[in-house]
Amino acid sequence: MSEIQEFTREMLSVMTEDELRTLDALLLAGAPIWVPLDGPQEDAFFNNADVVGYGGAAGGGKTDLGCGLALTQHQKVAIFRLNGTELTGIVDRMTEILGGERKGYNGKEMIWRYTRKDGKKVQIEFGSFPNPNDHMKYQGRPHDLLIFDEAANMREAQVRFLIGWLRSRDPHQRKRVLMTFNPPTTVEGRWIIGFFSPWLNKKHPKPAKPGEIRYFATIDGRDVEIEDNDPRPFVLMSDEYGEQERIYDFDPKEYSAEEVIRPMSRTFIPAKVSDNPYLSKSGYVSVLQSLPEPLRSQMLHGDFTAGIEDDAWQVIPTAWVEQAMERWRPKDVKPTMDSLGVDVAMGGKDNTVISRRHENWYDKLIKHKGRECKDGSQVAGFVVAQKRDEAPIHLDLFGVGGQVYGPLMALHQQTVGVNVGDPSAATDQTQHFKFFNLRSELVWRMREELDPASNNGIALPDDPELLQELCAYTWELVGNKIKVCSREDIIDAIGRSPDKATAVILARMETPKLSSFEKDAPEDYDPLDAVRRGTG
């Protein structure tokens, strides 16, 4: 025992009860209302990344970390759960931290106003967005701390939209995002693995350690990891070959704020129940150990590779798409191009996507932002630039797609206009079931193509968005007809249009090339008309 400890012990032994109570009050008055636990929770609390992912396993103190940050480090806070009823537990925990009082909490507004010991005013807003457009009601409401509790249950597009309102009028106030989550249990939640790919994706070429900071930027609508991890802002300039180059040495006065790209930092810190002494001693470990697999591995160990459960009515099993992507390899010499699939967008947030199929090998997808596609002629030019070997073009006529059909025909391109709402006269491989419409037929044909029993070696580019979109299709049986869900249903499920999946499914269509039978055809034979009628 040190001299200081011995002196303290002697002093306490001679103090009266009133003096001890006064000392306790003084000590409590100077103590923070919440401190992080030693280990991962403390690492996450003090990490300097703009976006911190935390959790993995159950019981690691995810919600507590959010409450602690909100009450001690920030001024304007928003705490989100997917469903409003799930916010009750967070409010209850915050009440416990504040000594059982709810002074300043307005249950109707779902806002808690609180004054910190340093005099700073804190406003904590509780929100939810269970429906696809619910996040829009938070537009224009800046916060310096955004907490997405159980982020893997949320739609990626909604989370990214709300991150856009991370800001503060106080130049000294730190701004950050906290995402807490367990491994996703559904296909829709897989986006979280891509978002934190360096930490969670075992295939990442340069894995990151827990707490290591990486920088990301949005370039041409894509989430891009900065290879050299350079945090400086930059602008993009095209070289003589059209390749974009990052320019760090630029005059800010010569560029608009929208043209300057400012990377944001991310990290992920795993935590388990063993890192939380309060729960690890409570018997909660036994509860997690009793869970069936793969839930046990997900919740006890934070295993992101454990099986994600497919929807019982999912058209294309996730494992089938993953196998096709694992087979994909880049090709220096590509087979003959057999088909192009084109999903068109003009303006708005959707994308024009072009899929190129060479036999059973699908090339990397070509994507153009909707706002880059001003009219049908411009999109037609994008498509023709990708065409090789007289491959037929399969064009989705839904929405603005019809505006591209005329320009392609004017350029004498073999174009098949596909209206997925048309009826289908086909049957599935078993010949027992018909299809509700052409959309149902085309999506189901993709399922049959990807079925390992087909043994055709189909290879799809390794694209997380394509994987999510292909696996988002569900079906039902209407009489003896297979009915696949609509585009709107997909948007509701994943928060965006399935542009990539549509392009790939259209590219799968088999249409004879005009050049293959034009030579021997009668003079009055119109092969293009036959192609149109044959595909609906």
Side-chain angles (χ1 to χ4, degrees):
M1 183 182 296
S2 69
E3 292 183 3
I4 294 177
Q5 288 175 319
E6 186 174 351
F7 175 76
T8 303
R9 185 173 183 179
E10 290 179 2
M11 287 294 295
L12 291 173
S13 65
V14 298
M15 293 177 72
T16 66
E17 290 187 7
D18 287 342
E19 288 173 334
L20 288 171
R21 279 195 292 269
T22 302
L23 179 61
D24 287 341
L26 290 171
L27 291 173
L28 288 171
I33 60 170
W34 185 91
V35 291
L37 297 169
D38 291 340
Q41 195 180 74
E42 184 180 44
D43 294 342
F45 185 87
F46 289 107
N47 195 281
N48 291 321
D50 298 318
V51 181
V52 175
Y54 181 75
K62 300 187 295 295
T63 299
D64 237 50
L65 174 62
C67 291
L69 286 171
L71 290 170
T72 66
Q73 300 295 308
H74 291 267
Q75 300 177 66
K76 293 268 291 186
V77 182
I79 303 178
F80 295 107
R81 288 292 297 255
L82 179 63
N83 298 299
T85 54
E86 299 169 341
L87 292 165
T88 303
I90 301 176
V91 174
D92 289 344
R93 177 55 187 144
M94 202 163 284
T95 303
E96 291 177 2
I97 294 173
L98 293 174
E101 295 184 359
R102 292 194 176 185
K103 182 181 178 181
Y105 176 62
N106 187 318
K108 185 176 181 180
E109 294 182 352
M110 294 296 287
I111 293 177
W112 201 319
R113 294 175 176 88
Y114 167 74
T115 303
R116 295 193 328 219
K117 290 183 178 181
D118 60 5
K120 292 282 188 181
K121 302 290 185 181
V122 181
Q123 178 174 298
I124 304 171
E125 182 176 2
F126 301 88
S128 62
F129 38 88
N131 301 308
N133 293 317
D134 286 350
H135 61 289
M136 298 299 294
K137 61 189 176 184
Y138 302 102
Q139 183 174 3
R141 291 152 71 172
H143 299 90
D144 52 71
L145 172 62
L146 292 168
I147 300 174
F148 299 96
D149 201 32
E150 300 299 349
N153 296 338
M154 301 172 179
R155 299 175 182 86
E156 178 182 8
Q158 293 177 306
V159 173
R160 287 186 180 275
F161 175 87
L162 291 169
I163 290 176
W165 299 102
L166 181 69
R167 63 188 69 171
S168 175
R169 294 191 181 96
D170 184 349
H172 304 293
Q173 174 60 58
R174 179 185 170 180
K175 300 169 286 293
R176 66 177 138 190
V177 176
L178 174 66
M179 295 188 193
T180 70
F181 50 89
N182 297 322
T185 57
T186 64
V187 173
E188 290 79 12
R190 291 183 67 103
W191 70 269
I192 204 77
I193 299 177
F195 192 91
F196 291 101
S197 183
W199 300 270
L200 303 181
N201 185 358
K202 291 186 177 181
K203 297 179 182 178
H204 193 277
K206 190 180 177 183
K209 298 177 181 178
E212 179 182 343
I213 291 178
R214 295 283 179 90
Y215 285 87
F216 294 78
T218 301
I219 301 176
D220 293 334
R222 294 186 303 113
D223 199 33
V224 177
E225 183 178 354
I226 305 300
E227 300 90 348
D228 50 9
N229 220 30
D230 195 326
R232 293 177 297 163
F234 61 88
V235 294
L236 293 173
M237 294 186 66
S238 298
D239 61 20
E240 57 182 317
Y241 303 104
E243 296 293 329
Q244 289 186 324
E245 181 182 1
R246 298 200 302 268
I247 305 298
Y248 292 99
D249 187 14
F250 66 94
D251 185 354
K253 297 178 182 178
E254 296 180 1
Y255 297 88
S256 66
E258 293 78 13
E259 292 176 302
V260 179
I261 299 173
R262 302 180 185 278
M264 291 183 70
S265 56
R266 293 180 200 168
T267 194
F268 174 75
I269 298 173
K272 301 178 181 179
V273 66
S274 56
D275 299 313
N276 187 342
Y278 300 105
L279 281 181
S280 60
K281 297 176 182 178
S282 70
Y284 187 55
V285 175
S286 300
V287 174
L288 297 179
Q289 289 173 334
S290 67
L291 294 173
E293 289 291 359
L295 200 58
R296 179 180 183 274
S297 294
Q298 290 174 328
M299 298 305 167
L300 183 62
H301 304 297
D303 187 353
F304 283 84
T305 64
I308 296 177
E309 185 178 351
D310 284 349
D311 189 292
W313 293 95
Q314 187 170 312
V315 177
I316 306 173
T318 305
W320 296 4
V321 183
E322 290 176 332
Q323 290 168 18
M325 290 183 173
E326 288 173 359
R327 283 191 290 267
W328 195 93
R329 298 289 185 276
K331 293 181 180 291
D332 295 329
V333 179
K334 300 172 184 177
T336 300
M337 185 181 292
D338 293 320
S339 172
L340 289 93
V342 184
D343 185 68
V344 180
M346 293 184 198
K349 62 182 180 179
D350 295 338
N351 301 291
T352 289
V353 180
I354 303 170
S355 175
R356 301 158 292 170
R357 179 171 63 81
H358 303 254
E359 297 177 355
N360 281 331
W361 183 85
Y362 291 71
D363 208 340
K364 289 185 176 180
L365 298 170
I366 304 296
K367 184 171 72 171
H368 296 276
K369 294 180 183 177
R371 62 175 179 269
E372 296 174 353
C373 305
K374 299 178 181 179
D375 53 42
S377 296
Q378 186 179 36
V379 177
F382 290 151
V383 175
V384 173
Q386 299 300 329
K387 178 177 175 176
R388 302 288 186 275
D389 307 318
E390 300 179 321
I393 299 166
H394 298 94
L395 176 71
D396 184 7
L397 295 179
F398 177 83
V400 296
Q403 298 179 35
V404 184
Y405 183 82
L408 283 173
M409 294 300 291
L411 292 171
H412 306 289
Q413 302 297 312
Q414 182 184 354
T415 306
V416 179
V418 182
N419 186 344
V420 295
D422 282 349
S424 168
T427 60
D428 74 323
Q429 283 184 338
T430 69
Q431 297 186 353
H432 286 109
F433 300 103
K434 296 182 179 181
F435 297 102
F436 186 81
N437 53 20
L438 186 57
R439 176 198 301 278
S440 302
E441 178 191 343
L442 295 178
V443 176
W444 201 265
R445 294 295 184 220
M446 196 73 208
R447 169 195 165 90
E448 294 174 339
E449 189 88 351
L450 288 165
D451 188 342
S454 299
N455 196 30
N456 54 23
I458 183 173
L460 295 175
D462 188 0
D463 186 318
E465 289 183 349
L466 175 61
L467 171 69
Q468 186 184 38
E469 291 174 16
L470 285 173
C471 297
Y473 287 102
T474 57
W475 68 286
E476 61 179 321
L477 201 59
V478 180
N480 72 329
K481 292 184 178 181
I482 294 170
K483 182 181 180 182
V484 172
C485 67
S486 67
R487 178 187 293 252
E488 290 70 28
D489 292 330
I490 300 293
I491 295 173
D492 286 349
I494 65 175
R496 67 174 186 277
S497 174
D499 305 323
K500 292 184 175 181
T502 300
V504 167
I505 289 169
L506 290 173
R508 192 218 60 81
M509 295 180 69
E510 296 278 359
T511 298
K513 297 180 181 180
L514 291 179
S515 58
S516 65
F517 50 84
E518 266 182 342
K519 296 179 181 179
D520 302 324
E523 292 184 5
D524 61 346
Y525 180 64
D526 182 358
L528 188 57
D529 180 63
V531 170
R532 291 177 196 153
R533 288 185 288 103
T535 59

